[in-house]
Amino acid sequence: MDILACDTDDRLTELLKINDELNHIKDIDSLLDAILYETRRLTNADAGSIFLIENRMLNFSYVQNDTLKKRDPLNNKQIYSNFAIPINETSIAGYVALKGKTLKIDDVEYIDDNVPYSFNRSFDKISGYNTKSMMTIPLVTTRGHVIGVMQIINAKDDKGNPIAFQSSDERYLSFFAGSATSAIEKAKMTREMILRMIKMAELRDPKETGSHVNRVASYSIELFQKWAEKRNFTHKEIKNYRDILRIAAMLHDVGKVAISDIILKKPARLNEDEFKIMKTHAYQGAKLFKGNVSDLDALSYDIAYTHHERWDGKGYPRRLKGEDIPIAGRIVALADVYDALISARVYKPAWEESDVITVLEKESGNHFDPELVEIFLSIYDVIKAIRMKFPDLDFKIFTS
Ligand code: C2E
Ligand code: SIN
Ligand code: SIN
Ligand code: SIN
Ligand code: FE
Ligand code: FE
């Protein structure tokens, strides 16, 4: 962990290596995870977060915190926090986004009276964390456009006590932030392309925001994480799989491109013939990924093809049963039905939460893999946090 001991050449070589790795990550959340992790490793920082600019606000997009993780190792709730802060001089992050310059604060207790920004204690108050030193770095593209900020918190000495960041950290990080920014831009483009594909396929409605697919993807990776941990998958295996699972899960219904609007948007129950046509979306989607040139294709194929199979073998299109259904298909089946029931659709209102839970319990071992239902209920506070993060209506919750 202690990179300060390395000489300059080693440090540069390492930066180049990380840069190369970042360029291979296509999913934006996995990318933010890797960027924060590497930044914190380079500076020996206890915590950090990334804010990305969306709708002229700094959206809290990713967080890591070793101390809080140690206190509550199984809780992933934090990363689904949802808040945004305005881009102005009153906050530290806002100031850095506005000026496009790195800000190093040795102790947030003692910020000069004559600067416009002040430290916002609300996060520390809620979490019980104690922020001391902070370095806030703008994420600037090569064209000079600020897309967000990265904030790292509490550099640690040998004994783990918080100390100020070093001036040398600042130089390395400005280089690193540049390559991180271009990787984020690329991942954003991939994500936008996928969202456009999904819009074309499922939503076809300018009011829709892609919330359903974001929620299904997030539930799915949380389910997978717990399932894989029980099987002692390595950290690296889990990370690699999460990366492609998010994208593949988002594409589960992409085969609906082939279904006419008359059926897809029918504001009533489908008749038998209509439902027969609707059911072809599973295979239609799978066909798009046939050939399996990449792991992502193979997984997208499996999920599109099998997300309507049932554990008891009564699903469609192939009536696969139990563990013959790939795990990703079993996971997305549960995530998809949960989200379909808890949300309103053109053909049905949202269900009461207690009724949805009752269905999951009743369908454990019938529609759904019982182990997955058990995991789902055990992480239900995370599931709810995901719903808060991706609400159906196009609004955000402001706290700061
Ligand atoms: P979807 O809306 O994403 O729903 C996914 C799955 O959630 C459904 O798969 C079903 O297993 C479950 N689900 C959703 N709503 C209900 C509900 O009110 N009751 C019950 N018991 N289960 C529900 P399924 O049935 O294979 O449907 C696949 C897709 O077909 C749906 O995706 C939706 O796009 C469409 N669809 C299904 N039924 C209707 C309908 O009556 N009218 C319209 N317009 N579309 C429908
Ligand atoms: C800020 O940068 O002032 C907001 C984020 C934080 O308080 O950590
Ligand atoms: C990729 O190119 O591997 C991801 C983007 C996509 O699925 O279109
Ligand atoms: C299912 O589609 O089997 C779950 C929903 C239900 O049976 O009510
Ligand atoms: Fe489907
Ligand atoms: Fe769906």
Side-chain angles (χ1 to χ4, degrees):
M1 193 77 183
D2 190 11
I3 192 135
L4 298 176
C6 300
D7 69 21
T8 308
D9 273 0
D10 285 350
R11 214 166 163 178
L12 260 179
T13 312
E14 173 139 21
L15 281 175
L16 291 172
K17 209 176 87 211
I18 299 167
N19 180 36
D20 192 48
E21 278 170 18
L22 292 184
N23 274 312
H24 285 100
I25 302 177
K26 295 192 177 88
D27 167 63
I28 191 129
D29 288 272
S30 311
L31 182 63
L32 298 181
D33 188 73
I35 289 168
L36 257 189
Y37 180 80
E38 295 299 347
T39 308
R40 290 173 45 236
R41 197 169 61 89
L42 290 165
T43 54
N44 210 17
D46 187 50
S49 41
I50 293 180
F51 296 76
L52 294 179
I53 296 176
E54 277 161 43
N55 304 322
R56 304 211 198 147
M57 298 285 283
L58 280 164
N59 268 281
F60 180 75
S61 301
Y62 211 83
V63 63
Q64 285 170 359
N65 189 311
D66 282 349
T67 298
L68 295 181
K69 191 88 196 162
K70 236 174 256 156
R71 276 187 218 158
D72 191 0
L74 297 176
N75 203 333
N76 256 351
K77 233 178 2 193
Q78 253 200 92
I79 65 169
Y80 295 108
S81 306
N82 206 8
F83 67 90
I85 49 184
I87 304 173
N88 62 36
E89 294 191 333
T90 62
S91 71
I92 295 164
Y95 182 87
V96 167
L98 205 60
K99 303 286 172 189
K101 292 224 168 64
T102 294
L103 192 61
K104 187 164 102 60
I105 295 173
D106 294 344
D107 190 338
V108 295
E109 286 293 335
Y110 303 103
I111 294 181
D112 237 7
D113 282 339
N114 54 21
V115 297
Y117 50 83
S118 60
F119 174 61
N120 174 355
R121 292 204 173 280
S122 58
F123 173 75
D124 278 11
K125 276 211 190 94
I126 295 166
S127 62
Y129 189 71
N130 196 359
T131 301
K132 201 170 173 68
S133 60
M134 190 182 254
M135 185 140 73
T136 310
I137 306 134
L139 299 172
V140 191
T141 67
T142 46
R143 281 161 284 124
H145 185 65
V146 177
I147 63 160
V149 303
M150 172 160 57
Q151 194 158 60
I152 47 172
I153 295 169
N154 288 2
K156 288 178 293 185
D157 66 13
D158 298 342
K159 297 189 188 68
N161 299 314
I163 50 169
F165 287 95
Q166 315 206 347
S167 301
S168 66
D169 289 340
E170 206 172 319
R171 282 197 308 276
Y172 285 110
L173 287 193
S174 66
F175 172 85
F176 182 64
S179 68
T181 303
S182 71
I184 290 171
E185 272 197 303
K186 269 184 233 155
K188 268 186 148 173
M189 276 165 59
T190 305
R191 188 191 185 88
E192 271 156 27
M193 209 183 69
I194 291 166
L195 282 175
R196 244 177 269 138
M197 228 166 120
I198 290 162
K199 261 198 181 129
M200 214 166 63
E202 182 176 17
L203 314 169
R204 296 197 201 130
D205 179 349
K207 287 199 299 295
E208 254 294 356
T209 57
S211 300
H212 166 64
V213 291
N214 274 307
R215 290 191 300 259
V216 170
S218 298
Y219 308 145
S220 296
I221 58 174
E222 294 299 332
L223 279 168
F224 172 74
Q225 172 102 25
K226 288 281 176 284
W227 182 90
E229 278 168 4
K230 283 172 73 178
R231 282 160 182 75
N232 298 319
F233 282 42
T234 67
H235 189 66
K236 199 178 163 97
E237 282 167 336
I238 294 178
K239 270 213 144 100
N240 288 344
Y241 199 83
R242 282 173 64 112
D243 185 18
I244 58 172
L245 178 58
R246 178 183 295 279
I247 296 176
M250 287 177 91
L251 293 168
H252 70 276
D253 270 340
V254 75
K256 285 181 181 170
V257 219
I259 311 296
S260 81
D261 269 4
I262 300 164
I263 294 177
L264 194 64
K265 290 193 177 165
K266 185 178 177 184
R269 303 247 44 123
L270 302 179
N271 66 37
E272 208 177 305
D273 288 340
E274 289 166 339
F275 194 50
K276 221 164 139 184
I277 294 169
M278 174 56 86
K279 289 202 279 192
T280 66
H281 82 275
Y283 179 63
Q284 302 274 9
K287 264 195 331 198
L288 293 172
F289 306 105
K290 236 176 165 168
N292 292 355
V293 287
S294 65
D295 290 350
L296 178 64
D297 288 333
L299 193 63
S300 303
Y301 177 88
D302 275 352
I303 290 175
Y305 212 172
T306 65
H307 74 281
H308 287 293
E309 298 291 356
R310 294 171 49 115
W311 183 256
D312 59 14
K314 295 178 185 162
Y316 66 89
R318 286 180 291 174
R319 300 176 70 85
L320 300 179
K321 190 172 175 177
E323 288 181 355
D324 289 347
I325 308 164
I327 181 61
R330 272 135 66 196
I331 286 174
V332 172
L334 176 56
D336 187 37
V337 173
Y338 170 78
D339 202 65
L341 296 180
I342 204 90
S343 318
R345 289 281 201 266
V346 289
Y347 61 92
K348 59 166 270 296
W351 288 24
E352 287 292 334
E353 185 152 35
S354 58
D355 294 339
V356 179
I357 304 285
T358 304
V359 167
L360 298 193
E361 283 167 347
K362 194 183 87 198
E363 292 296 331
S364 172
N366 299 316
H367 192 148
F368 309 121
D369 178 346
E371 182 182 353
L372 292 178
V373 174
E374 196 186 316
I375 294 174
F376 192 87
L377 297 175
S378 77
I379 56 166
Y380 201 65
D381 55 343
V382 179
I383 301 295
K384 282 207 278 200
I386 294 169
R387 264 167 56 205
M388 299 283 284
K389 179 158 176 104
F390 303 108
D392 268 324
L393 295 172
D394 201 18
F395 68 86
K396 294 258 183 232
I397 298 154
F398 299 95
T399 57
S400 213

